[in-house]
Amino acid sequence: LPQNHDQNKRLFLGCNWKCSIETTDEVDELCDALNRMWRSLTKDEKRKVELCVNPPFVYLDRVRMRLTGEISLGSQNVFDARGPNIGNTGTTTAKMLRSLGCSSVLLGHSDRRNNLYETDELISDKLKKALSAGLGVTLTIGELPYQRRWGLALVALRKQLSVAMKGIEPDEWNRIVIAYEPVWAVGEGATPCSPEEAQRIGSYLRRLITKRVSPDAAAACRLTYTGSVNEKNAAEYASLEDVDGFVVGRAGLDTTSLRSIIYTLASSSE
Ligand SMILES: O=C[C@H](O)COP(=O)(O)O
């Protein structure tokens, strides 16, 4: 098994590289910087925080070869087709990802939901495939700006999570990281969600899982916040009861920011 598989008691820090890095030289450079940063951490920080990087498919093998095995590897997607793996030229199966040393996949990101029109049903289908292949899933859910304006944030989140949770077996919840990503809070120039709101949503999601599935499932999964998290604001979220980590975009490409966010997360947990 990949080294960090199932270490769900650790706080989670996912790094979604998106398509930010487009050359192998830059990939190697970032991997080397990540290795140096990881070596500089204390034992306690390493024990408390799981760092997971999510490069594009084409770099996964290269990153796994170059990066310390103590940093988890996740893909940004899996198998873009519904149904069995027959005649799906150009897709990537969960088994392929497992064999490369991935421990998880990122699913449901707003880029894929909103720009590539992925439905809740397709995401749920992919989630089942990933889990049954033994992978973990970082499931991103989030409301669009208009849904927030109209007071429909919880309705949107409930729908996205409800469809996804149908595909999760009771004993698989410890392989789930839920990333709450208010879409209006992502990317350059966006205002991050306030810590109060992130906690309100986190606690709502935890209660929803408790009610619909079980208290064990709600305790086993990790709830993270994502959207403009950086070294300056991480502390405001890290102390929240229902925030067990972050998924970062831009900050994940800068190892000085990552170092600081890991310090903040580790200091927030006893
Ligand atoms: O997957 C990451 C999110 O889209 C957040 O990106 P960001 O941290 O650059 O706002």
Side-chain angles (χ1 to χ4, degrees), residues 62-264:
R62 188 179 191 96
V63 172
R64 186 63 297 163
M65 303 284 233
R66 198 156 179 123
L67 206 60
T68 165
E70 292 179 6
I71 299 178
S72 306
L73 183 70
S75 66
Q76 294 178 15
N77 189 23
V78 70
F79 199 72
D80 272 310
R82 298 198 70 183
N85 178 26
I86 303 165
N88 287 303
T89 304
T91 55
T92 301
T93 67
K95 197 171 167 184
M96 294 175 195
L97 297 176
R98 274 278 282 181
S99 81
L100 286 185
C102 285
S103 55
S104 65
V105 308
L106 180 66
L107 294 176
H109 190 276
S110 58
D111 291 342
R112 301 202 62 87
R113 287 183 188 270
N114 305 320
N115 304 341
L116 298 163
Y117 309 107
E118 288 200 356
T119 61
D120 289 330
E121 289 70 25
L122 174 63
I123 294 163
S124 163
D125 196 64
K126 296 203 262 190
L127 182 139
K128 275 187 253 174
K129 286 193 173 81
L131 288 174
S132 58
L135 292 163
V137 173
T138 301
L139 172 71
T140 310
I141 57 174
E143 80 279 8
L144 291 161
Y146 86 87
Q147 291 169 319
R148 178 172 191 244
R149 267 197 311 278
W150 294 355
L152 295 172
L154 296 185
V155 176
L157 293 167
R158 189 166 61 232
K159 164 132 192 317
Q160 291 171 10
L161 186 54
S162 303
V163 177
M165 72 175 52
K166 286 189 202 137
I168 308 172
E169 297 298 325
D171 64 344
E172 292 174 334
W173 280 88
N174 62 355
R175 281 189 273 140
I176 302 290
V177 171
I178 295 174
Y180 168 53
E181 181 195 48
V183 180
W184 44 272
V186 172
E188 213 54 59
T191 315
C193 164
S194 73
E196 294 71 32
E197 195 163 344
Q199 170 54 28
R200 186 174 71 88
I201 302 284
S203 131
Y204 171 77
L205 297 174
R206 191 91 79 187
R207 278 182 280 123
L208 187 68
I209 301 167
T210 304
K211 202 168 126 203
R212 296 275 186 84
V213 189
S214 70
D216 284 351
C221 68
R222 287 175 287 183
L223 294 177
T224 62
Y225 168 69
T226 171
S228 300
V229 174
N230 57 41
E231 70 283 10
K232 294 194 189 83
N233 61 20
E236 298 171 37
Y237 301 95
S239 57
L240 301 172
E241 191 182 339
D242 292 302
V243 171
D244 307 319
F246 306 117
V247 175
V248 291
R250 287 157 295 164
L253 304 170
D254 174 347
T255 51
T256 311
S257 298
L258 277 181
R259 174 77 189 79
S260 163
I261 297 170
I262 292 173
Y263 170 81
T264 302

